[in-house]
Amino acid sequence: MRKTLYLECNAGISGDMMVASLLDLGADREVLLEVLDSIPADGFSIEIGRVKKAGIDCCDFRVLLDHAHENHDHDMEYLHGHAGHCGETHVHGHGQEELPAVYNHDQEAFHIHSHDQEAFHVHGHIQEARHVHDHIYETPRVHGHHHGEPHEHSSHGHSHHVHRGMKEIREILQACRMTEHAREIAGRIFEILAQSEAKAHNVSVDEVHFHEVGAVDSIVDIVSVAVCLDNLGVTDVIVPKLCEGTGTVRCQHGILPVPVPAVANILSAYGIRIELTGMSGEFVTPTGAAIVAAIRTSDRLPGSFVIDQIGLGAGKRQYERPSILRAMLIDRSQGGDVVYKLETNMDDCTGEALGYVMERLLEAGARDVHYIPVYMKKNRPAWQLNVICDQGDIPEMERIIFSETTTIGIRRVEMERSILSRRQMRVNTDYGEAVVKVCDGPGGKRYYPEYESVARICQEYGLPYRTVFEKLTGLAVKADRIGT
């Protein structure tokens, strides 16, 4: 059964906002924490709680880092302020620039460090309720992480920086105790992030060792997003646009325009729509943009839909527009739905090749694949290949068609359709469990045993297809009526 996630990014998107919104939707926290415990890196803690943003209750996900590795992603004075504003400086290491210390409301100093530093142990006491800028943080859940790679220290007491590239990232993901599907999602996000940074700096992907790719907080955010999406069973993701601010932001390499180069590269490469709000600030982070590029399957909402669940994720940065990401699980089975049809004509492709490409397309996520006999110019008999798919699957569908057939061109059409509500039910029979599709039609429910279940029973017990089909239909009707 397909599950559709709609991301409303009116205040942009970042990794922690995305994790928080998915947790608020119902992703299993225990499953997430177990995976995070397996990350082979030391010195970070996780805090999950509730905050108020513009009076709205939201879930808050925090990766807590220590002073030696704080990257100041959420420090507004560092990101958009001016050096010396706080009136105090701290010299870090040899020959490095003097930068201002920044204080939170507990007057605990955080020293400025560059964005490529590692993550860390959390020191100090986490209070049950504390003020954080313009909202109250209540009853947090703190989850410590105290194993993994050791930290080396210099004579000045600061951690030795560990530079991680994609090779190290892949090794970390492989070591994490998560499903293969979650690992695939996380790997895809990191690849997109690395590609965008590589383009921005004109280096190869293997040479990328930047904060957004290698820092522990980014690793935790991306792994968490992948685990939560997998846990929720999301199959389709709709993101119509990303709202972004204007102006400049401070990062490792100095003052950069918004959107920063890595974000702009992702938006360009993946055709993601952007709306500039006119407000000063960075609303879309490179991690947030990479997440959207990796998981988005469409930028078009259906004409009508039902909202099943809502998750609100809080951001940490304080801008004029409240930093909230709203994620919704929607039911688009009733009313309008948008799909794409790909079609091409072929007069020199064998039947075996056509059968093979159909299998490849269906395995890659095509909603439907079929052939129509046609006559082309000079009255040549041929086949027209038709593929129904989601917008996000178009590149992969076209790649398969061009690779496996003799065609030199593919037509593409956006189509609206009306579909009946459907679901799958599992029926216990004398021949084992079987899967039956149930559709709600104008005249009542319709039951369609899935081909794979019918074929398995026929082959194992030597029964006729029609006999098994009718028996499973009857059992499904009976089970559905008694609610089993």
Side-chain angles (χ1 to χ4, degrees), residues 207-454:
E207 294 178 83
V208 173
H209 293 84
F210 300 112
H211 161 70
E212 283 289 356
V213 174
V216 171
D217 55 341
S218 292
I219 294 172
V220 172
D221 283 346
I222 291 173
V223 167
S224 297
V225 167
V227 170
C228 289
L229 284 169
D230 178 68
N231 182 256
L232 288 169
V234 172
T235 56
D236 301 296
V237 180
I238 300 173
V239 187
K241 65 181 180 181
L242 299 182
C243 289
E244 177 62 294
T246 60
T248 59
V249 65
R250 185 196 306 268
C251 72
Q252 174 190 357
H253 303 282
I255 306 298
L256 295 178
V258 175
V260 297
V263 170
N265 289 340
I266 293 172
L267 299 178
S268 174
Y270 293 89
I272 300 172
R273 296 177 182 276
I274 183 172
E275 178 182 305
L276 298 180
T277 63
M279 296 181 225
S280 179
E282 181 193 33
F283 294 176
V284 179
T285 68
T287 297
I291 289 169
V292 171
I295 68 175
R296 186 186 64 155
T297 58
S298 175
D299 64 357
R300 291 284 300 272
L301 279 168
S304 62
F305 56 89
V306 174
I307 300 175
D308 289 335
Q309 291 174 256
I310 300 174
L312 299 178
K316 311 302 181 297
R317 299 180 181 180
Q318 310 302 313
Y319 294 124
E320 180 182 347
R321 180 174 295 188
S323 184
I324 300 174
L325 173 64
R326 183 157 64 172
M328 292 169 267
L329 289 175
I330 65 173
D331 180 1
R332 54 181 180 175
S333 59
Q334 295 286 355
D337 187 20
V338 176
V339 294
Y340 283 77
K341 182 176 77 169
L342 310 179
E343 66 177 34
T344 185
N345 298 346
M346 297 170 287
D347 64 351
D348 54 354
C349 202
T350 67
E352 292 85 354
L354 295 177
Y356 178 69
V357 74
M358 175 183 284
E359 292 178 3
R360 289 283 312 278
L361 291 166
L362 290 171
E363 289 173 357
R367 291 176 176 261
D368 187 35
V369 181
H370 66 271
Y371 297 99
I372 302 172
V374 295
Y375 287 89
M376 297 173 61
K377 59 186 176 183
K378 299 181 181 179
N379 210 36
R380 294 196 304 267
W383 297 95
Q384 182 183 96
L385 166 63
N386 288 269
V387 180
I388 304 299
C389 67
D390 293 322
Q391 183 184 33
D393 293 329
I394 291 175
E396 179 63 11
M397 298 293 125
E398 293 187 343
R399 188 190 69 79
I400 293 173
I401 295 171
F402 280 127
S403 299
E404 302 294 349
T405 74
T406 57
T407 188
I408 59 173
I410 301 171
R411 297 179 293 278
R412 184 187 310 160
V413 182
E414 181 183 287
M415 309 177 74
E416 292 186 359
R417 64 175 186 169
S418 297
I419 57 176
L420 296 177
S421 173
R422 78 280 304 272
R423 60 186 171 85
Q424 282 188 338
M425 66 179 297
R426 298 184 179 275
V427 181
N428 294 319
T429 75
D430 294 337
Y431 313 111
E433 189 178 70
V435 180
V436 178
K437 182 188 298 180
V438 183
C439 295
D440 295 317
K445 293 183 179 179
R446 304 174 189 175
Y447 300 84
Y448 303 98
E450 294 287 2
Y451 170 79
E452 290 78 6
S453 293
V454 178

Side-chain angles (χ1 to χ4, degrees), residues 51-76:
V51 298
K52 296 281 199 242
K53 284 282 188 178
I56 305 300
D57 180 66
C58 305
C59 180
D60 187 51
F61 178 82
R62 292 172 181 261
V63 182
L64 303 173
L65 308 176
D66 70 4
H67 305 323
H69 303 94
E70 171 61 49
N71 57 42
H72 297 276
D73 272 350
H74 308 138
D75 186 332
M76 302 306 294

